[in-house]
């Protein structure tokens, strides 16, 4: 049976589960899964190992510029 990052600790031995969160500027971060997400941040994943969160961020956060800057650059 295969093991996923959502079920097992990462290579560092960290057994805590985290969630991926984003803010209004579409900036990503990880947050401890057992804590309330701070105001202004939204949960994007279910709780998983830290490495799984980092992989999710690597796949989804393809433009590191804040949303406000991206929108400003699109204006003529």
């Amino acid at each position: 049976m295969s093991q996923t990052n959502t079920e097992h600790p990462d290579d560092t031995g960290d057994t805590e589960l985290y969630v991926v969160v984003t803010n209004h500027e579409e900036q990503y971060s990880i947050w401890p899964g057992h804590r309330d997400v701070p105001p202004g941040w939204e949960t994007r994943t279910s709780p998983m190992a830290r490495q799984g969160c980092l992989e999710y961020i690597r796949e989804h956060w393809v433009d590191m510029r804040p949303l406000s800057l991206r929108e400003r650059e699109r204006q003529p």
Side-chain angles (χ1 to χ4, degrees):
M1 179 156 88
S2 68
Q3 298 178 348
T4 66
N5 286 330
T6 60
E7 300 170 343
H8 301 281
D10 64 20
D11 293 337
T12 66
D14 184 359
T15 59
E16 183 154 4
L17 296 179
Y18 299 88
V19 294
V20 174
V21 294
T22 57
N23 64 17
H24 71 283
E25 288 281 3
E26 296 183 357
Q27 296 169 310
Y28 286 72
S29 187
I30 63 173
W31 191 255
H34 68 278
R35 296 185 60 192
D36 291 338
V37 175
W41 292 83
E42 292 183 38
T43 303
R44 297 294 178 194
T45 66
S46 58
M48 65 177 86
R50 183 179 187 275
Q51 187 60 38
C53 290
L54 295 176
E55 289 171 12
Y56 180 93
I57 291 171
R58 199 172 5 258
E59 291 173 11
H60 291 88
W61 195 10
V62 295
D63 190 340
M64 300 292 250
R65 297 173 299 160
L67 179 61
S68 59
L69 177 60
R70 293 191 316 257
E71 289 175 344
R72 191 170 40 236
E73 289 178 349
R74 281 185 233 146
Q75 295 175 359

